[in-house]
Amino acid sequence: MEGKGISRAVIERLPRYYRYLGELLEEGVERISSGELSRRMRVTASQIRQDLNNFGGFGQQGYGYNVKYLYDEIGKILGIDRQHNLIIIGSGNLGQAIANYANFERRGFIVKGMFDVNPKLIGKVVRGVEIMGVENLEDFIVENDVQIAALTIPKTKAPEIADRLVAAGIKAIWNFAHIDLDVPDDVVVENVHLSESLMRLSYRVCSMQDQKAGEIKRTQK
Ligand code: NAI
């Protein structure tokens, strides 16, 4: 169980609910039944009812879910009704791509600072944020009330930087470096590994191909 007694599995599904509800709002839909939401999201209606009942049941019999209310409540649970100040350590390809993605701001994630060790990058401005050297990292974190640090540096450098971040009071690390970080219990790490996602995709496409090949063999016999 995660905070507020909600299981991790449910929490992992919430961003998807949030995205669909946001789209419904954009379409001007005010209320939706679990059946209709189920059709759109391709999740069973009972799963939707079970998931959303965790939050005190926003649905009403015969009325369905109030889209705006549910959207706002899920936003609050995910903590995206508030502003989160974020820094990016490692301002190479990936770091700059994250900084350039304007949509994070809409969700309340504000890139306050970018850092690097490469003198060629220091001083460069990405979407209004200047890349700085790492010497004053700790002061910057305290002065700018930074909560989240994205780590987009080589894995060999990540542990040392993570230790500095933790010592400076960072409680959330968005880790793209291919290494498992050793941090205290009160620091949360979200690992993002695109290559692992690709490997899962590769597994699924290969299994599908193998299955098809097996079927063809059987029909040819
Ligand atoms: P990159 O080489 O373009 O950028 C890395 C940057 O980190 C460089 O500018 C470098 O100067 C800087 N750096 C190195 N040591 C540093 C330190 N101690 N403090 C601050 N900055 C430091 O590489 P790219 O493509 O942006 O990838 C960055 C990292 O993310 C790599 O380790 C890569 O393996 C990983 N990666 C992870 C992905 C994922 O899905 N998790 C996807 C793509 C890359």
Side-chain angles (χ1 to χ4, degrees), residues 9-211:
V10 175
I11 293 183
E12 280 179 1
R13 288 195 284 270
L14 287 187
R16 189 153 180 266
Y17 284 115
Y18 191 76
R19 177 160 57 84
Y20 271 85
L21 290 163
E23 285 171 8
L24 287 168
L25 275 183
E26 279 168 20
E27 290 170 28
V29 177
E30 287 175 10
R31 58 182 172 151
I32 190 160
S33 65
S34 50
E36 173 60 11
L37 195 55
S38 141
R39 195 188 57 75
R40 284 195 177 227
M41 293 183 65
R42 297 181 196 187
V43 179
T44 64
S46 79
Q47 166 100 79
I48 288 178
R49 283 193 294 269
Q50 253 177 40
D51 283 352
L52 301 182
N53 274 348
N54 275 289
F55 316 111
F58 300 117
Q60 280 171 32
Q61 204 77 41
Y63 176 88
Y65 294 101
N66 178 321
V67 175
K68 174 81 172 81
Y69 181 71
L70 196 51
Y71 179 79
D72 289 345
E73 289 302 309
I74 292 180
K76 278 185 216 162
I77 291 158
L78 292 174
I80 44 187
D81 57 328
R82 1 186 162 153
Q83 179 175 317
H84 295 282
N85 293 336
L86 187 143
I87 53 172
I88 298 171
I89 325 273
S91 306
N93 293 311
L94 189 54
Q96 291 192 34
I98 291 172
N100 273 316
Y101 186 58
N103 253 358
F104 292 138
E105 271 163 31
R106 279 185 45 213
R107 300 270 182 254
F109 300 100
I110 312 294
V111 178
K112 284 276 172 181
M114 297 181 68
F115 295 86
D116 208 286
V117 288
N118 182 347
K120 287 189 188 140
L121 288 175
I122 294 169
K124 183 178 167 174
V125 177
V126 183
R127 278 193 80 240
V129 179
E130 187 176 335
I131 300 172
M132 294 168 273
V134 290
E135 309 77 45
N136 301 322
L137 184 59
E138 287 81 357
D139 289 343
F140 187 91
I141 289 170
V142 175
E143 283 160 17
N144 291 277
D145 188 25
V146 176
Q147 286 111 34
I148 302 176
L151 271 194
T152 47
I153 50 177
K155 66 176 181 184
T156 50
K157 311 286 177 196
E160 184 205 325
I161 289 286
D163 287 348
R164 283 180 64 183
L165 293 170
V166 170
I170 287 282
K171 295 290 179 209
I173 299 179
W174 197 21
N175 178 34
F176 289 83
H178 294 295
I179 189 166
D180 293 325
L181 299 171
D182 195 9
V183 295
D185 288 344
D186 65 341
V187 176
V188 286
V189 178
E190 177 72 25
N191 294 306
V192 186
H193 297 314
L194 299 181
S195 46
E196 290 179 10
S197 177
L198 259 183
M199 284 188 252
R200 282 191 288 271
L201 188 64
S202 153
Y203 167 77
R204 288 169 60 196
V205 75
C206 290
S207 322
M208 234 155 59
Q209 283 165 350
D210 291 349
Q211 202 183 343

